[in-house]
Amino acid sequence: SIGGATVTVGARALRADADGRFRAEGLSRSPFFLDVSPPPPYAPRENVLVEGDGDEVVVRLARTWRVQGRVLAPDGSSAQAVVQAHGLRCDVSATTAADGRFDLRGVHGDRVSVTLHLARADRERGWMPPPRARVTSESGEVVLRLRQGVFVEGILVDPAGDPVPHAEVRLRGEGRRYAKERLVARDGGRFRIGPIEPGAWKLSVKSRTDGLGDAKDRSVAAPASDVRIVLPRIPVLRVRVIGDDLGDFQVNLVRASEGADERTRSRALRRDGTFVFDAVDPDATYALFVHRAEDDRFSLATDVSPTEGEVVLALRTGLDLGGRLDLASLDVPLVRASTDSY
């Protein structure tokens, strides 16, 4: 028997006596759940299902154990890290001592693994944590040796050679589906991604600059320090709306060319009254419709071409969103599109 444990049933907290017994009266009919917080060296139990009325409840608790070991740098010297043991309902962490040793107390469970979290300065050296280590109460001292990684460095530029800042750079291993590392390029367009393992990688870039496209699956061999990625120019349609209080306005774009897909693309207008549609066809014409719910202001333009530069629209009044748009009142040629459904 384990005495002194705290047993929580609903909003009630009970204390088990020296024999480990507790009694809760006036409870609603089962089933219900209880939590047990025992003194060391026993592990807590949560959400213990109790079924049956009037029956004695027996809660079995497991003993906790310790994980002790040492963290070593790639050259074999002592290293600092945060060591974490985690498993089902188990999450214990500790920082290593000056000699790299750690002592995790209160560990419990059958499937427990140990991982490391390194300081930024150590990651900048290229140090990488080892793969997670499975441990048991019989594991003895655990030695965790850091690995020496490498970096992929380079610059993002546009076709004119000017740096492209703030793009997202992603790196994934050959044959892998998801990115392993990602970061945002600095103001000068430069990036340094890692530490990673040496070998073949695929690098992709997600552009955040209007008029510049993405780069996908460029092969790089790590380590690399002179990667140069040129982001291609793509045709865009730039929109500027003139008016006050432009928050929550929607810009709707539909292609007007004969035989084209006429599905409408709808985006939120930026608060400065601008928006840029990418992935447009430079040889096609488009219709633009700007509106906001519960507002009678709107703007409409047709036969718009991406080659015209920025399209400037002025808001006008007279739109009743409770019904249909009165196309006869607009002194513009309408396209064969879904615009008249507004």
Side-chain angles (χ1 to χ4, degrees), residues 273-321:
T274 64
F275 193 82
V276 177
F277 284 96
D278 58 8
V280 295
D281 185 347
D283 299 323
T285 56
Y286 293 85
L288 287 165
F289 180 62
V290 182
H291 74 100
R292 179 170 64 180
E294 301 180 359
D295 195 318
D296 66 348
R297 294 178 298 165
F298 73 99
S299 187
L300 177 69
T302 62
D303 296 328
V304 175
S305 171
T307 61
E308 297 177 1
E310 186 177 72
V311 179
V312 181
L313 303 175
L315 292 177
R316 67 179 77 176
T317 59
L319 176 63
D320 180 9
L321 288 180

Side-chain angles (χ1 to χ4, degrees), residues 69-73 77-81 83 96 99-102 116 118 142-146:
R70 188 179 181 190
V71 178
L72 300 179
S77 60
S78 299
Q80 304 294 300
V83 187
T96 57
D99 61 357
R101 296 190 176 277
F102 61 89
L116 297 182
L118 301 177
V142 179
V143 177
L144 302 173
R145 183 183 289 271
L146 304 180

Side-chain angles (χ1 to χ4, degrees), residues 210 238-249 251 268-276 310-313:
D210 295 337
R238 303 177 186 273
V239 181
R240 178 178 296 276
V241 178
I242 301 174
D244 299 325
D245 183 23
L246 297 176
D248 299 325
F249 267 86
V251 184
L269 187 68
R270 297 167 181 167
R271 291 197 173 273
D272 64 356
T274 64
F275 193 82
V276 177
E310 186 177 72
V311 179
V312 181
L313 303 175

